Amino acid sequence: MQLTRTGCALRATSRRWATISNRFLSFTAARAQSNAATDTNPADTSPAYPPRPPGLYLYGGIGQFKQPNPGSESQRSADRGFSSTIDDKKYPKDLHYNVSKQILEHVGRKLYLQPNHPLYLTRKLIESAFSEDQGFNNRLEPNPVVTVKENFDDLGFPADHPGRSRTDTYYVNQDHVLRTHTSAHELKLFSELKEDLYAGSHGYTLCSDVFRRDSIDRSHYPVFHQMEGARTWRLVTANEILDPNEREAIASHERRLNLRAMKDDLERLPLWRYRAGRDIDPKLHDQAALDLKAEDPHPNFDPATNPLQPSHTAEEIELVASHLKLSVEFLLAKVFRQAQRAGIISRTEPPRVRWIPTYFPFTSPSWELEVWWQDEWLEILGCGISQQQLLVKAGIPESVGWAWGIGVERLAMLLYGIPDIRLFWSQDRRFLGQFREGEATRFQEFSKYPECYKDVAFWVPDADGKVENGGEEAETLPPPTVGIEGEQRAVDSVATPSPSPSSSGAAAPAGGHNRSSSDSAQHHPSFHENDLAEIVRDIAGPLVENVTLVDEFFSEKKRRRSLCYRIMYRSLERTLTNEEVNEVHEKVRRRMEEQLGVELR
Ligand code: DAH
């Protein structure tokens, strides 16, 4: 299943987190093969992004994305008369629609606005490190529907990127999705900065809910929250001057002056000042003094693996990268200080944090930040130097900027020690009553109700939509189905895209090729775990805690592959009876037969 590592909450015992170095090696090798990026001079308005290096990908791998056939009869009938209403807006429906009723029920909850909710408090803490006083517009964007263009195209995602597939992303229709990351708003936010720059703002934060079809466990939920942040500096304004000689001379003079301004900004950062032994605002001293060990063994850029953009100089990017890293480390210092006060992390052992070079289609160079947590490295955020083409499109070609995306649940879990991501959606007073603005709190488990697990074993259909059954008569794969305001409807012409080997990290704009279960189960061309997860979630809702592959084999005799998943049911609020779990489980089994075309064993 696909995992957004900034997006999903931390999961301490998973081997998901252990795949980072493999992924990094693969991407490094891929980068080494790739040619240098195309020229992206600020003045150059060509729309092309640098070519995508081959190999493993953040926010997905390289895979097939089959489009529904737009000309089919069912497409035309789906187009007729149906529409969905999300956040009070109507969207015409077509065969791409795959949003279940259960997901729609989460739209509009706006947990980040609910006073004393841990996500609200975490948002506030992040905003305090990137505040309006410091030139950041602190924004929210409640409507989760964005265009495919905003979510993928504008950011340079290739057309065949698996993150675009219906197994990973909720489609409202062919042109609209429920945003899979807050970066979907980057272009708009940068464009708005054009006006704001004159009013003294040169950055923004944005908090919103994001949606991904994903695995099921204590750190994954199909709806979670991200924060996006960015900061820009003006490099040159001389582009409008017509005489090329004059323009060059003025521009290089201006660039030097602006470099000085960047240095001044860097030297204003509390962490920079503290580390340089300068005076520091006493209110910030405690956080700055935290003995935070940010390991950063790699250079900020590398021509082969994490290149500078051609329109930037090394000196400029060293400054911007240092500003980004120190700003983010200071945010982490705030989080750790609060977690120490709440007794969640030790006061004696300095927290470990590390920077890792990575790849995003919309930044170069790019990095991830990981935190050592319960004996594993957890990714907390992805970031980088924004692709100049994005700034060109946004109308601020003369600027340079950094941007990051943070998983809010993940930070909240660090801050409060919250062990299960479903808890964030709880309306139980025993949960909500625990948190208060200005207080360092350690989450107290109010009860642990017993779990009840059920296994489901089945034969997987083959890639042509037939059940693998050797010499026996082949059966046809039932079509994938999608929810339409509660009811389920078969979609006969939509091919569920086959996941690629690297797509399990996919919806990971911030990366990760982590997987929760065996690769072959995940990558069987006609079965995708995310489809199973979606069915279980649709039927069991918040009663499901975990879905794990527990057995897999290929029968040579039968020429068929068998998988067995264990579904762990547990309510966070009451004890489930065996009868009610049996009933739910039976519905799951039946829906699997109908929608996934599997043969139950
Ligand atoms: N959108 C990425 C994600 O969902 C995170 C990210 C990476 C955001 C780099 C950014 C960025 O703004 O520059 O994982």
Side-chain angles (χ1 to χ4, degrees):
M1 290 193 186
Q2 311 218 338
L3 170 72
T4 299
R5 301 182 325 131
T6 54
C8 72
L10 70 99
R11 178 169 179 240
T13 55
S14 163
R15 63 196 167 96
R16 284 160 201 260
W17 313 114
T19 59
I20 288 163
S21 53
N22 289 346
R23 175 170 51 78
F24 176 56
L25 286 177
S26 315
F27 116 81
T28 305
R31 259 283 163 68
Q33 293 163 20
S34 90
N35 296 327
T38 51
D39 195 315
T40 48
N41 188 293
D44 171 8
T45 49
S46 102
Y49 275 88
R52 176 176 68 140
L56 287 180
Y57 259 74
L58 297 175
Y59 204 142
I62 296 169
Q64 308 269 307
F65 177 47
K66 295 188 199 157
Q67 293 280 351
N69 170 7
S72 72
E73 178 50 42
S74 48
Q75 168 78 59
R76 285 192 296 275
S77 60
D79 285 347
R80 252 181 266 134
F82 290 108
S83 66
S84 49
T85 304
I86 300 176
D87 199 49
D88 292 335
K89 293 206 179 65
K90 270 194 184 317
Y91 299 90
K93 245 176 214 168
D94 60 24
L95 284 179
H96 283 73
Y97 187 87
N98 66 349
V99 188
S100 67
K101 186 166 172 255
Q102 213 243 341
I103 294 298
L104 285 178
E105 281 166 4
H106 290 73
V107 172
R109 286 279 303 273
K110 300 188 188 120
L111 300 178
Y112 50 85
L113 282 182
Q114 199 174 305
N116 293 329
H117 190 284
L119 294 178
Y120 165 91
L121 299 174
T122 307
R123 167 174 74 85
K124 288 288 187 191
L125 185 134
I126 298 171
E127 285 174 355
S128 74
F130 299 92
S131 66
E132 306 237 332
D133 290 349
Q134 298 163 57
F136 292 89
N137 294 322
N138 296 142
R139 308 276 302 267
L140 308 169
E141 180 51 76
N143 185 352
V145 181
V146 297
T147 61
V148 169
K149 180 172 173 295
E150 289 165 321
N151 202 76
F152 298 116
D153 304 343
D154 286 344
L155 296 168
F157 284 79
D160 64 348
H161 197 286
R164 296 176 182 251
S165 84
R166 290 172 68 252
T167 48
D168 290 21
T169 295
Y170 292 107
Y171 276 81
V172 172
N173 59 32
Q174 179 167 328
D175 301 319
H176 294 87
V177 295
L178 297 182
R179 69 186 147 226
T180 62
H181 56 161
T182 43
S183 305
H185 301 284
E186 247 193 31
L187 181 55
K188 190 172 123 232
L189 290 163
F190 274 134
S191 310
E192 288 171 7
L193 268 190
K194 187 179 175 159
E195 308 305 319
D196 295 338
L197 282 172
Y198 300 103
S201 305
H202 25 234
Y204 59 78
T205 67
L206 172 98
C207 182
S208 292
D209 44 1
V210 299
F211 298 73
R212 295 190 194 161
R213 291 176 107 237
D214 209 335
S215 48
I216 298 185
D217 57 47
R218 284 156 71 91
S219 66
H220 288 78
Y221 204 72
V223 190
F224 56 94
H225 296 79
Q226 282 192 334
M227 267 180 90
E228 194 78 7
R231 169 74 156 90
T232 57
W233 287 265
R234 199 159 263 253
L235 277 183
V236 275
T237 48
N239 289 330
E240 296 86 38
I241 297 170
L242 291 179
D243 177 338
N245 293 330
E246 199 190 346
R247 183 172 60 207
E248 218 165 281
I250 294 180
S252 75
H253 174 69
E254 232 188 307
R255 227 166 153 140
R256 275 198 306 279
L257 287 182
N258 285 329
L259 205 64
R260 183 65 250 165
M262 277 185 212
K263 258 193 204 134
D264 290 346
D265 279 336
L266 178 65
E267 293 178 9
R268 270 193 279 273
L269 293 179
L271 219 45
W272 190 93
R273 296 191 66 76
Y274 180 79
R275 289 181 187 172
R278 304 277 172 83
D279 287 345
I280 174 171
D281 180 344
K283 287 202 295 293
L284 305 175
H285 191 272
D286 178 51
Q287 288 128 20
L290 183 90
D291 188 11
L292 187 72
K293 292 219 177 346
E295 298 163 28
D296 196 3
H298 303 279
N300 275 335
F301 41 84
D302 177 290
T305 57
N306 206 14
L308 284 180
Q309 297 172 48
S311 52
H312 298 150
T313 67
E315 199 180 358
E316 284 156 5
I317 296 313
E318 288 292 4
L319 281 176
V320 179
S322 300
H323 192 278
L324 165 63
K325 289 181 172 180
L326 285 178
S327 307
V328 165
E329 285 174 29
F330 188 61
L331 167 67
L332 261 281
K334 280 179 164 250
V335 170
F336 286 131
R337 267 296 187 236
Q338 186 171 321
Q340 281 182 343
R341 272 188 269 125
I344 293 163
I345 60 169
S346 137
R347 279 180 182 271
T348 48
E349 248 178 77
R352 284 182 71 198
V353 168
R354 72 176 182 188
W355 289 101
I356 311 267
T358 190
Y359 174 81
F360 298 104
F362 41 100
T363 49
S364 191
S366 315
W367 310 278
E368 288 169 357
L369 183 76
E370 297 182 338
V371 169
W372 185 251
W373 174 256
Q374 299 186 351
D375 298 333
E376 290 193 89
W377 286 108
L378 307 179
E379 187 197 335
I380 292 292
L381 90 158
C383 61
I385 308 298
S386 296
Q387 282 287 357
Q388 208 59 35
Q389 281 307 313
L390 201 61
L391 303 182
V392 170
K393 280 195 212 167
I396 46 172
E398 68 288 344
S399 295
V400 60
W402 57 242
W404 47 248
I406 298 183
V408 185
E409 273 83 350
R410 192 170 292 181
L411 264 203
M413 284 169 123
L414 283 175
L415 261 177
Y416 298 108
I418 295 172
D420 189 315
I421 195 164
R422 287 178 295 167
L423 281 162
F424 289 106
W425 297 91
S426 171
Q427 316 224 32
D428 194 316
R429 294 286 334 138
R430 289 171 296 177
F431 174 71
L432 292 174
Q434 293 195 25
F435 311 97
R436 195 137 305 129
E437 193 142 16
E439 282 177 19
T441 311
R442 181 185 195 143
F443 169 71
Q444 302 296 329
E445 195 116 43
F446 42 87
S447 60
K448 185 92 176 160
Y449 295 98
E451 87 264 5
C452 175
Y453 69 80
K454 305 276 170 196
D455 291 348
V456 55
F458 54 91
W459 297 107
V460 173
D462 73 16
D464 302 326
K466 303 177 190 108
V467 171
E468 287 175 350
N469 62 354
E472 295 166 35
E473 186 77 2
E475 296 168 35
T476 312
L477 176 71
T481 59
V482 293
I484 294 187
E485 280 157 13
E487 98 219 35
Q488 290 295 321
R489 185 172 63 103
V491 178
D492 51 14
S493 66
V494 180
T496 301
S498 42
S500 73
S502 51
S503 66
S504 104
H513 296 277
N514 313 292
R515 41 193 71 116
S516 54
S517 50
S518 120
D519 293 359
S520 56
Q522 276 216 318
H523 303 138
H524 196 283
S526 60
F527 173 78
H528 197 298
E529 277 186 4
N530 286 0
D531 291 330
L532 170 59
E534 195 60 17
I535 288 176
V536 180
R537 277 209 163 102
D538 203 28
I539 293 171
L543 304 185
V544 59
E545 178 168 302
N546 207 304
V547 177
T548 332
L549 185 74
V550 287
D551 188 36
E552 177 186 9
F553 69 91
F554 184 77
S555 156
E556 284 298 341
K557 195 158 142 248
K558 288 178 173 281
R559 311 288 311 148
R560 300 169 84 176
R561 181 172 308 281
S562 168
L563 303 178
C564 179
Y565 279 87
R566 176 156 299 169
I567 305 180
M568 186 79 84
Y569 299 94
R570 187 203 312 262
S571 165
L572 295 171
E573 287 158 10
R574 64 194 171 85
T575 300
L576 299 174
T577 65
N578 203 30
E579 293 77 66
E580 94 182 284
V581 173
N582 279 342
E583 206 177 301
V584 169
H585 190 66
E586 196 43 43
K587 281 191 189 151
V588 168
R589 287 167 55 85
R590 249 178 283 129
R591 185 83 72 81
M592 287 175 67
E593 281 183 317
E594 287 162 20
Q595 290 185 14
L596 304 183
V598 301
E599 187 184 326
L600 297 176
R601 300 181 49 218

